[in-house]
């Protein structure tokens, strides 16, 4: 199939892009397009306007002064070259080499797929998203950003300008693991843990509508995590099997994070 008709603009500045979004309630932003273009072709999405931000130089940057700040058009393959350990661990699991060469970090965050690795990673880091509109900018924490499958706290006139990835503190340990049927497939289940002293943060994804932080029992993390999720199941795995995966993966990542801590 081919997309439904739409208007197309390719602004040269961020102000131009934000002005275009302000004038159209049904606009979509094109950066990497790895999720957007298939949705257009299948006519799942029918925007009236496509705003191509790839020529906006100020969005194509990575800076690091404590936290890592990743601009809206930075490709996933390029982000992996920078020194954030969580991104370096998670990005090889995101899609395939070809899609990582084109897909953007911020695009995956804004798309908010429940089975995507990068939203889970941002939540694990306690990161945030900086969004802009014609009225100014605001920062949304990862805890408040993801509202549901493919749904974020952004308003229709806002653009995700950059994501902020705080550094791990000295002595912290983390781990990430997922299970997919094949490399590059969407994960059936994924889990991540972060440990600092007596503090334990556990995030699960693919089995919940959004990446979800769980309060787990440090003595039996997998069992207590599995009791808190209600997987919907699919043709690939039953709810019972997915709950089993939560138990196994959470136990693994907590154990590995504890080993790395300190």
């Amino acid at each position: 199939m081919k997309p439904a008709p739409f208007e197309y603009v390719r602004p040269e500045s961020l102000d131009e892009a934000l002005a275009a979004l302000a004038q159209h309630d049904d606009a979509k932003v094109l950066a990497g397009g790895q999720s957007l273009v298939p949705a257009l072709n299948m006519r799942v999405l029918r925007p009236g306007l496509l705003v191509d931000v790839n020529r906006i130089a100020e969005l194509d940057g990575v800076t690091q002064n404590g936290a890592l700040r990743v601009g809206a058009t930075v490709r996933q393959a390029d982000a992996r070259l920078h020194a954030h350990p969580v991104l370096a661990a998670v990005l090889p699991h995101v899609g395939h080499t070809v899609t990582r060469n084109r897909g953007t970090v911020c695009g995956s965050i804004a798309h908010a797929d429940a089975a995507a690795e990068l939203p889970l990673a941002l939540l694990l880091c306690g990161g945030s998203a900086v969004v802009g509109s014609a009225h100014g900018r605001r920062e949304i924490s990862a805890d408040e950003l993801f509202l549901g499958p493919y749904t974020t706290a952004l308003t229709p006139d806002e653009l995700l300008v950059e994501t902020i990835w705080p550094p791990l503190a000295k002595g912290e340990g983390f781990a990430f693991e997922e299970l997919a049927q094949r490399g590059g497939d969407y994960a059936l289940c994924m889990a991540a843990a972060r440990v600092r002293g007596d503090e334990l943060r556990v995030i699960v994804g693919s089995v919940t509508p959004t990446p979800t932080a769980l309060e787990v029992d440090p003595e039996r993390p997998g069992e207590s995590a599995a009791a808190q999720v209600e997987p919907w199941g699919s043709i690939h795995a039953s709810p019972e099997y997915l709950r089993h995966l939560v138990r196994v993966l959470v136990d693994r990542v907590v154990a590995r994070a504890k080993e790395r801590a300190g």
Side-chain angles (χ1 to χ4, degrees), residues 190-222:
M190 53 186 168
R194 184 175 174 182
V195 173
R196 182 183 182 188
D198 295 332
E199 299 177 12
L200 172 61
R201 184 171 176 83
V202 171
I203 315 291
V204 297
S206 291
V207 292
T208 49
T210 64
T212 302
L214 301 177
E215 294 290 337
V216 302
D217 183 340
E219 300 302 319
R220 47 186 190 89

Side-chain angles (χ1 to χ4, degrees), residues 113-128:
D113 191 322
E117 292 87 355
L118 288 172
L120 179 145
L122 189 68
L123 186 59
L124 178 71
C125 292
S128 58

Side-chain angles (χ1 to χ4, degrees), residues 55-155:
R55 285 191 175 180
I56 303 175
E58 63 188 283
L59 298 180
D60 187 22
V62 178
T63 60
Q64 188 160 17
N65 183 13
L68 186 74
R69 306 176 79 100
V70 180
T73 60
V74 174
R75 311 300 166 184
Q76 295 162 5
D78 294 332
R80 191 182 175 190
L81 302 177
H82 295 271
H84 200 287
V86 173
L87 272 176
V90 168
L91 277 169
H93 298 275
V94 178
H96 302 273
T97 301
V98 173
T99 60
R100 291 194 296 271
N101 286 341
R102 189 65 191 168
T104 64
V105 171
C106 289
S108 179
I109 300 295
H111 188 53
D113 191 322
E117 292 87 355
L118 288 172
L120 179 145
L122 189 68
L123 186 59
L124 178 71
C125 292
S128 58
V130 176
V131 303
S133 72
H135 305 292
R137 294 193 181 192
R138 64 187 179 117
E139 186 173 332
I140 309 172
S141 71
D143 292 292
E144 300 175 341
L145 180 61
F146 306 108
L147 304 182
Y150 308 109
T151 307
T152 69
L154 274 73
T155 58

